[in-house]
C-alpha cells in the first residue's frame, strides 16, 4: 500500500496501534503453566474489543486468532490447548489484523520468565538487528541491501538467518508487494523501497537453521537444521528519512 491521503495514514495508524497493543498485552499476560490457547484467546478478546478481525483467520482460515510459536517452532505456530508454556521457553507471538479495510502486522520473540536456557542473546540480536535495519530504510534504498545488512549483522553476533522467510508489503491486505524483504542478500532483486509505501519488516535470526520447512500440521514452520529462531517485526511507513514505525506501541 502507498499512503496517498491523511485518511489512509490515520487508518493505518489505528489498526497498527491495535495489533501493537494486542501483542504487548499478550506478552505481559503470558505466564508459565498457561496454554498457548489461553494466551491466544486473550489476544482474540483484545482484537474484538477494538472491532478488529484476526488477519490469519480471515485470510487463511488459520486455527487461532494469533500465531504462537514455542522453542524450535519458527513461525505460524498453532495455539493449541495442549501447548503448555514453561519457564525459560522461547516464545514468539505474531499478531496481524484488519480494521476498517486496513491491515497491519507485528511480532516479537521473548523469553518467558527466567532465561534458564540462555535464549536472551538470540532474542536481543533479533531485536537490535531489526532496529538497525529500520534506521537504514528509506525511499530509494535497495531491498537487497537491507537483506545484506541483516545477514551481516547476524553473522557478527554469531548467528545466521532464515533465508526463505521475508517481510512484505501490507495495508489493504495482509500480504502485498514487495513480498521479498529477505533477511539475506539476493543480488537478482533490484527493487527499491518506495517513499510513502507501507511494509512489514521482520528479522528471522537463527542459531543453526537457514531454511524453514513446514511441519506435518500444515501450518507450523520449523528449521531445517534444528536450533532456535527469534523474530521481531514492525509495520512502517517509508519516508525520505527514518521510517514511521506504526506499531511502536508493542514496545519490542
Amino acid at each position: 500500500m502507498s499512503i496517498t491521503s491523511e485518511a489512509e495514514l490515520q487508518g493505518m495508524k489505528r489498526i497498527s496501534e491495535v495489533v501493537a497493543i494486542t501483542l504487548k498485552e499478550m506478552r505481559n499476560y503470558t505466564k508459565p503453566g498457561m496454554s498457548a490457547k489461553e494466551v491466544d484467546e486473550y489476544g482474540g478478546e483484545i482484537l474484538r474489543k477494538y472491532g478488529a478481525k484476526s488477519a490469519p483467520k480471515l485470510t487463511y482460515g488459520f486455527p487461532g486468532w494469533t500465531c504462537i510459536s514455542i522453542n524450535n517452532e519458527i513461525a505460524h505456530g498453532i495455539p493449541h490447548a495442549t501447548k503448555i508454556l514453561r519457564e525459560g521457553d522461547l516464545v514468539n507471538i505474531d499478531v496481524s489484523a484488519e480494521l476498517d479495510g486496513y491491515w497491519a502486522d507485528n511480532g516479537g520473540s521473548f523469553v518467558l520468565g527466567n532465561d534458564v536456557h540462555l535464549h536472551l542473546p538470540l532474542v536481543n540480536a533479533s531485536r537490535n538487528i531489526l532496529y538497525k535495519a529500520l534506521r537504514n530504510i528509506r525511499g530509494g534504498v535497495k531491498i537487497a541491501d537491507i537483506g545484506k545488512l541483516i545477514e551481516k549483522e547476524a553473522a557478527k553476533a554469531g548467528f545466521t538467518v532464515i533465508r526463505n522467510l521475508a517481510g512484505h508489503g501490507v495495508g489493504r491486505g495482509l500480504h502485498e508487494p514487495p513480498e521479498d524483504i529477505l533477511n539475506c542478500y539476493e543480488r537478482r532483486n533490484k527493487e527499491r523501497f518506495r517513499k510513502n509505501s507501507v511494509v512489514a519488516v521482520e528479522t528471522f535470526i537463527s542459531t543453526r537453521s537457514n531454511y524453514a520447512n513446514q511441519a506435518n500440521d500444515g501450518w507450523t514452520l520449523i528449521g531445517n537444521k534444528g536450533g532456535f529462531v527469534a523474530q521481531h517485526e514492525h509495520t512502517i511507513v517509508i519516508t525520505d528519512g527514518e521510517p514511521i514505525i506504526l506499531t511502536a506501541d508493542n514496545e519490542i
Side-chain angles (χ1 to χ4, degrees):
M1 175 184 179
S2 184
I3 299 293
T4 61
S5 68
E6 181 63 24
E8 288 180 338
L9 178 59
Q10 292 306 315
M12 282 306 306
K13 284 184 174 180
R14 282 193 297 273
I15 183 55
S16 297
E17 181 181 14
V18 169
V19 297
I21 290 172
T22 302
L23 175 59
K24 181 180 72 173
E25 293 303 321
M26 289 177 70
R27 186 176 66 239
N28 293 338
Y29 177 78
T30 305
K31 299 292 185 295
M34 288 183 175
S35 71
K37 184 174 178 62
E38 287 179 75
V39 178
D40 182 62
E41 288 293 340
Y42 179 72
E45 289 176 10
I46 298 172
L47 293 177
R48 285 191 292 275
K49 180 180 74 173
Y50 286 103
K53 297 177 182 177
S54 162
K57 188 177 284 289
L58 186 62
T59 306
Y60 303 114
F62 181 74
W65 305 106
T66 67
C67 299
I68 301 179
S69 306
I70 309 298
N71 293 326
N72 67 324
E73 299 173 344
I74 296 175
H76 303 167
I78 299 172
H80 289 299
T82 55
K83 186 185 286 187
I84 305 301
L85 305 172
R86 307 296 184 193
E87 187 86 14
D89 277 351
L90 176 62
V91 181
N92 179 269
I93 300 176
D94 195 302
V95 181
S96 54
E98 179 272 340
L99 178 65
D100 298 330
Y102 296 96
W103 304 63
D105 194 359
N106 70 161
S109 295
F110 60 97
V111 174
L112 183 57
N114 295 315
D115 186 26
V116 295
H117 304 300
L118 305 181
H119 292 310
L120 268 179
L122 175 66
V123 170
N124 291 338
S126 174
R127 181 191 300 109
N128 293 341
I129 292 169
L130 173 63
Y131 280 106
K132 184 160 189 175
L134 294 181
R135 287 194 296 270
N136 283 273
I137 293 176
R138 62 201 65 213
V141 169
K142 286 184 179 180
I143 291 175
D145 286 346
I146 296 302
K148 180 188 289 186
L149 182 153
I150 293 171
E151 189 172 19
K152 179 180 177 182
E153 291 298 318
K156 282 167 57 177
F159 300 112
T160 185
V161 298
I162 300 298
R163 304 179 68 86
N164 63 332
L165 296 179
H168 51 88
V170 68
R172 288 299 189 178
L174 179 57
H175 287 96
E176 298 178 338
E179 295 277 4
D180 53 355
I181 307 174
L182 292 167
N183 281 202
C184 59
Y185 182 61
E186 174 50 75
R187 62 180 179 81
R188 292 169 295 183
N189 184 1
K190 306 300 182 184
E191 194 170 2
R192 296 175 183 270
F193 288 103
R194 293 180 294 106
K195 182 183 177 182
N196 296 326
S197 64
V198 183
V199 296
V201 180
E202 50 192 323
T203 50
F204 291 96
I205 309 303
S206 173
T207 61
R208 190 178 303 169
S209 292
N210 54 6
Y211 285 91
N213 296 324
Q214 194 172 79
N216 292 333
D217 64 16
W219 295 103
T220 307
L221 298 178
I222 57 175
N224 63 327
K225 299 179 182 178
F228 300 92
V229 175
Q231 177 257 20
H232 289 87
E233 175 182 24
H234 272 306
T235 292
I236 65 171
V237 179
I238 296 167
T239 72
D240 283 332
E242 290 194 14
I244 302 167
I245 302 178
L246 295 174
T247 47
D249 284 343
N250 63 26
E251 297 181 2
I252 63 170

